[in-house]
Amino acid sequence: DAKTTQPPSMDCAEGRAANLPCNHSTISGNEYVYWYRQIHSQGPQYIIHGLKNNETNEMASLIITEDRKSSTLILPHATLRDTAVYYCIVRVAGDSNEKLTFGTGTRLTIIP
Amino acid sequence: EPEVTQTPSHQVTQMGQEVILRCVPISNHLYFYWYRQILGQKVEFLVSFYNNEISEKSEIFDDQFSVERPDGSNFTLKIRSTKLEDSAMYFCASKAGGGTEAFFGQGTRLTVV
């Protein structure tokens, strides 16, 4: 059963910031928030993950609310190549073997 | 940048035939996975493999499925007698260890006719 809730689809203008929300109200203290994306049936691609602090890397930023019940993935300057399905996944920290459980994700369309 | 490599990219097989899907995980990774995605549906976990044995498998991974790491570099998924409903994209993934992210291959599209 999905532990996260995401909107099924979103549009964003090219060059603007894309903000993708995720609710994970039942997250446990030892669970991380992971984001992956899947571009047109290619293999899922890791984007970023975090526990409770905001995180930034070369692809995106992750903002996690103080109560950790929701988060937002930010693509700061969206390009057409960012059109993909984005998955928000919670998983236990330190469980080396734990599988990823994918939901239906958010289909993000970048509009020229 | 290191990547997970899967072959073939597309395989067509007749119902009842055996197929072997091949994966070369990233070289220093220790944990290996197979997932599948039926067209238009979610990515589903099939099996995880660590230390030369299956560590977890889903309900989908029945007796028709098996995995093997025959030579320390390849990781294979075998389907003994394919069914029409096995038609899907099959993704291999690997990761180095605890707390690290999983890297996925580009997938093998299996079509059973």
Side-chain angles (χ1 to χ4, degrees), chain B residues 4-108:
Chain B
V4 176
T5 305
Q6 291 187 242
T7 55
S9 57
H10 190 187
Q11 176 137 12
V12 181
T13 189
Q14 289 198 328
M15 190 169 53
Q17 294 296 304
E18 174 184 286
V19 294
I20 298 176
L21 308 184
R22 303 182 189 279
C23 169
V24 179
I26 295 172
S27 63
N28 62 340
H29 284 191
L30 302 176
Y31 299 85
F32 312 108
Y33 306 84
W34 283 101
Y35 291 80
R36 80 171 187 188
Q37 187 175 33
I38 295 171
L39 185 64
Q41 298 187 21
K42 299 178 191 179
V43 177
E44 301 174 288
F45 167 77
L46 291 178
V47 65
S48 58
F49 191 87
Y50 170 72
N51 200 25
N52 285 319
E53 61 182 22
I54 290 174
S55 38
E56 186 178 355
K57 58 184 180 180
S58 71
E59 292 179 354
I60 303 167
F61 195 89
D62 61 21
D63 292 345
Q64 293 301 308
F65 291 86
S66 62
V67 289
E68 195 176 37
R69 188 160 161 78
D71 56 11
S73 61
N74 292 287
F75 181 50
T76 61
L77 174 69
K78 181 192 289 186
I79 309 175
R80 288 187 183 81
S81 178
T82 51
K83 301 185 282 256
L84 294 176
E85 53 264 38
D86 293 327
S87 294
M89 283 290 290
Y90 287 80
F91 296 109
C92 173
S94 69
K95 67 175 188 174
T100 63
E101 65 269 23
F103 290 83
F104 285 76
Q106 290 305 295
T108 293

Side-chain angles (χ1 to χ4, degrees), chain A residues 32-74:
Chain A
Y32 279 80
V33 180
Y34 277 75
W35 284 83
Y36 279 78
R37 72 181 182 184
Q38 188 177 24
I39 298 172
H40 190 54
S41 296
Q42 296 179 20
Q45 178 189 23
Y46 166 80
I47 301 172
I48 199 167
H49 73 281
L51 184 63
K52 56 183 178 180
N53 297 320
N54 297 338
E55 301 288 344
T56 295
N57 63 20
E58 65 278 4
M59 289 182 69
S61 295
L62 175 60
I63 308 298
I64 302 174
T65 58
E66 193 167 341
D67 63 8
R68 302 209 322 122
K69 293 185 177 181
S70 65
S71 60
T72 301
L73 178 75
I74 301 171

Side-chain angles (χ1 to χ4, degrees), chain A residues 12-13 15-20 35 37 47-48 57-62 72-79 81-84 86 108 110:
Chain A
C12 178
R16 303 298 293 268
N19 296 275
L20 292 94
W35 284 83
R37 72 181 182 184
I47 301 172
I48 199 167
N57 63 20
E58 65 278 4
M59 289 182 69
S61 295
L62 175 60
T72 301
L73 178 75
I74 301 171
L75 308 177
H77 305 287
T79 70
R81 290 178 296 178
D82 292 322
T83 292
Y86 287 76
L108 175 68
I110 306 302

